[in-house]
Amino acid sequence: MALRHLSVKALLFFGLCQVGRRGFASAPEVREAPKKIAIIGGGIGGTAAAFFLRQEFGPAVKIEVFEAGTVGGRLATENIGGYEYETGGSIIHPLNLHMKHFLDRLGLSPRADVSSKLAIFDGKELTFEESDWFIVNFIRMLWRYGFNFIRMHMWVEGILDKFMRIYQYQQFGYSFSSVEKLLHAMGGDGFLTLVNQTLEEAMLAEGFSQVFLNDVVTPVTRVNYGQSVRINGFVGAIALAGADSGLWAVDGGNKMVCSGLLYHSKAELVPARVTAISMKMRPSKTGSAANFYEVNYVGESGAAHSTYDIVVVATPLHQGMSDINFSGFSPPIPTHFPGRYHQTVATLVHGLLNVSYLGTTEKPERFFVSDVLTLDNKASEIHSLSSLNPVKIPKGYSPSPASQHKVWKIFSSQPLSQKNLQQIFLSWDSVSEKRWLAYPSYSPPHRRTPPFILHDRLYYLNAVEWAASAMEMSAISARNLALLAHHRWYEQTAKINQEDLHTRLKGEL
Ligand SMILES: Cc1cc2nc3c(=O)[nH]c(=O)nc-3n(C[C@H](O)[C@H](O)[C@H](O)COP(=O)(O)OP(=O)(O)OC[C@H]3O[C@@H](n4cnc5c(N)ncnc54)[C@H](O)[C@@H]3O)c2cc1C
Ligand SMILES: *[C@@H]1O[C@H](CO)[C@@H](O)[C@H](O)[C@H]1NC(C)=O
Ligand SMILES: *[C@@H]1O[C@H](CO)[C@@H](O)[C@H](O)[C@H]1NC(C)=O
Ligand SMILES: *[C@@H]1O[C@H](CO)[C@@H](O)[C@H](O)[C@H]1NC(C)=O
């Protein structure tokens, strides 16, 4: 009834509020819009940050993305015989909604599906080889591991269900000021416990058997994170989700998402290495001093610097990953946070596999295994061996047997020697090696995850990797930081660190 007494003006005002954060009436006039934003790093994290920051702050703000190497970062391809192959991050889960959304927005598509076949190798022989028949695999697994296998699917699915809540929160504009708060909003104390214990501890406590952990779970953590079941339980669950069906990749290469996001966000790429970030004061018209950030960088034309209202660091602040000197901050910000990144060497070989190396008596022309995972023992020098499909599947392409020359990718923690290669291959005509500092070396319990907020308006995207490192995690962190930067700029504290969102948003769209 009271509605009838509301004036047209008031209705209009409420209407505008409903338009949401981007409606001009909703931005309190405490502050002007930021003029310049810098992003350090042009990987999926930095380019997704450009995309989401543009969405939050509108068309007027100038966004600059600094990239010292190649746009794409840990998403990269290598050309072999005229085709491109993924050497870094390669698989995307069907429920990675940000990655899916990017493809839609950028007009990209998933790569055509090619059938694959998995085996597990103990360094001497294959302990498991997938059959073409689902029911055969099912019975074998049931025979050997009882209900461990089915329960594992249920366990991972339960975690994934909670994980998916983040998309709803972000849809409603909610953000979190630390990795812990973000995890807690998704999965409560359960998620915090999960990141603070090993996958092994978490699964043993859930009643999974040690044999199952050694035989089935370890090969998965080895191929996806180059490490054992002593990684944290959260990243472990993500690794296991990475063994689900329906995994996909981007047609033409995953890194195309990065260049696409950069273009779409109308951000400017600055091909330079950032060397230092410092805080400066500038007296403002109103008399109070305003601070801003000075970014020092070295590009082709030498050293230079620019100033920004907001800065997002989208590269790991770790030894070997970046070397940024933060000066003038109190408390000080370290160039490198504690903890190190794990080396994974990706060796791409165009050659002929020696199937006997895998201890199989199958004839090469009948050997169609595409992914060989490995157990954790002395005899396994490699983490995995996979037959690669090009990033763009040619017409009429079908998986070829091991009797043909093809491109294999080996993951190992140390570079392969000539002797290693001779053991694995009968012959080869090209070898290319990429040494990645790929993802954190996880060793829970972790005392403190690095902060998202390094300083007032200086943010750190890759802090999230200490919960789990994946393309989607960087994208989630990018969206979170764009929202956080916006809400903090306009002092909209009601959208930061809200508890109990899951219950409160129940029944909402
Ligand atoms: C071998 C391998 C396999 C993987 N497999 C998968 C997978 O299957 N699925 C999955 O989801 N994830 C996978 N990952 C992880 C995934 O690739 C990463 O989590 C993700 O790509 C990280 O993106 P990012 O943008 O946050 O960081 P990065 O891609 O590392 O981007 C940081 C960028 O910053 C630049 N930079 C650094 N310092 C400076 C500076 N001072 N100035 C300017 N620029 C700087 C770097 O050149 C780099 O381009 C894999 C990673 C590797 C290495
Ligand atoms: C970092 O910056 C400070 C202050 O400008 C300077 O004294 C110091 O030498 C710099 N360190 C490195 C490693 O560049
Ligand atoms: C293939 O591997 C087997 C088993 O490791 C080895 O005995 C054999 O010599 C290898 N073949 C060649 C041609 O290298
Ligand atoms: C993880 O464990 C460490 C040491 O036991 C503790 O200091 C820390 O607070 C825990 N972190 C979380 C998020 O529970």
Side-chain angles (χ1 to χ4, degrees), residues 83-98:
Y83 293 101
E84 298 283 329
Y85 298 87
E86 298 282 359
T87 65
S90 54
I91 55 169
I92 305 169
H93 192 272
L95 293 176
N96 284 170
L97 300 190
H98 284 319

Side-chain angles (χ1 to χ4, degrees), residues 39-47 66-75 87-93 96 99 223-225 238 254 258 270 272-276 297 314-316 321-324 342 344-346 409 411 434 436-439 461-462 464-465 468-475:
I39 297 168
I40 323 300
I44 186 66
T47 57
F66 289 89
E67 174 51 63
T70 317
V71 170
R74 276 173 274 168
L75 308 183
T87 65
S90 54
I91 55 169
I92 305 169
H93 192 272
N96 284 170
M99 290 302 289
V223 66
N224 285 334
Y225 289 101
I238 289 194
N254 294 332
C258 303
V270 185
R273 175 173 300 280
V274 170
T275 52
Y297 55 95
T315 175
M321 307 292 284
S322 62
D323 258 309
I324 302 171
H342 184 84
T344 286
V345 183
K409 175 170 75 180
F411 280 153
K434 177 76 200 166
W436 293 106
L437 284 173
Y439 14 67
L461 187 141
N462 294 75
V464 85
E465 286 191 74
S469 171
M471 295 173 228
E472 186 72 7
M473 291 304 291
S474 287

Side-chain angles (χ1 to χ4, degrees), residues 350-372:
H350 186 236
L352 207 52
L353 185 73
N354 177 2
V355 293
S356 312
Y357 166 74
L358 298 172
T360 175
T361 50
E362 263 173 295
K363 291 219 155 55
E365 51 277 14
R366 306 200 50 189
F367 192 75
F368 280 94
V369 168
S370 55
D371 297 278
V372 181

Side-chain angles (χ1 to χ4, degrees), residues 148-367:
N148 273 280
F149 213 74
I150 302 162
R151 288 200 25 250
M152 180 176 78
H153 277 283
M154 288 163 56
W155 186 68
V156 173
E157 212 158 286
I159 291 167
L160 211 54
D161 267 352
K162 291 181 177 146
F163 184 94
M164 300 299 285
R165 291 174 183 168
I166 191 64
Y167 299 116
Q168 193 195 21
Y169 304 162
Q170 295 191 331
Q171 190 72 38
F172 280 86
Y174 291 100
S175 63
F176 305 91
S177 66
S178 70
V179 176
E180 281 84 0
K181 292 214 164 78
L182 186 138
L183 288 170
H184 192 265
M186 290 195 267
D189 293 343
F191 268 23
L192 290 182
T193 310
L194 209 51
V195 280
N196 220 7
Q197 62 184 162
T198 66
L199 177 65
E200 187 172 40
E201 284 161 357
M203 291 188 80
L204 287 176
E206 288 285 325
F208 292 94
S209 74
Q210 188 70 55
V211 175
F212 181 72
L213 280 164
N214 297 347
D215 291 5
V216 177
V217 180
T218 301
V220 176
T221 60
R222 278 167 70 83
V223 66
N224 285 334
Y225 289 101
Q227 296 162 70
S228 75
V229 286
R230 260 90 62 201
I231 59 176
N232 82 61
F234 183 76
V235 70
I238 289 194
L240 289 171
D244 275 350
S245 56
L247 301 175
W248 57 284
V250 180
D251 190 38
N254 294 332
K255 68 178 182 187
M256 289 189 46
V257 175
C258 303
S259 45
L261 288 172
L262 207 52
Y263 180 80
H264 191 278
S265 65
K266 298 195 167 62
E268 192 183 321
L269 177 67
V270 185
R273 175 173 300 280
V274 170
T275 52
I277 301 174
S278 51
M279 203 187 65
K280 295 279 151 85
M281 291 289 195
R282 170 168 51 199
S284 81
K285 289 184 212 99
T286 57
S288 62
N291 55 24
F292 61 95
Y293 300 106
E294 183 180 281
V295 172
N296 290 262
Y297 55 95
V298 180
E300 261 185 7
S301 46
H305 60 83
S306 303
T307 58
Y308 301 89
D309 300 302
I310 296 172
V311 176
V312 174
V313 176
T315 175
L317 294 172
H318 284 275
Q319 194 79 50
M321 307 292 284
S322 62
D323 258 309
I324 302 171
N325 189 357
F326 293 92
S327 63
F329 295 99
S330 162
I333 301 168
T335 294
H336 297 138
F337 278 88
R340 55 183 189 87
Y341 268 59
H342 184 84
Q343 173 169 281
T344 286
V345 183
T347 310
L348 270 58
V349 179
H350 186 236
L352 207 52
L353 185 73
N354 177 2
V355 293
S356 312
Y357 166 74
L358 298 172
T360 175
T361 50
E362 263 173 295
K363 291 219 155 55
E365 51 277 14
R366 306 200 50 189
F367 192 75

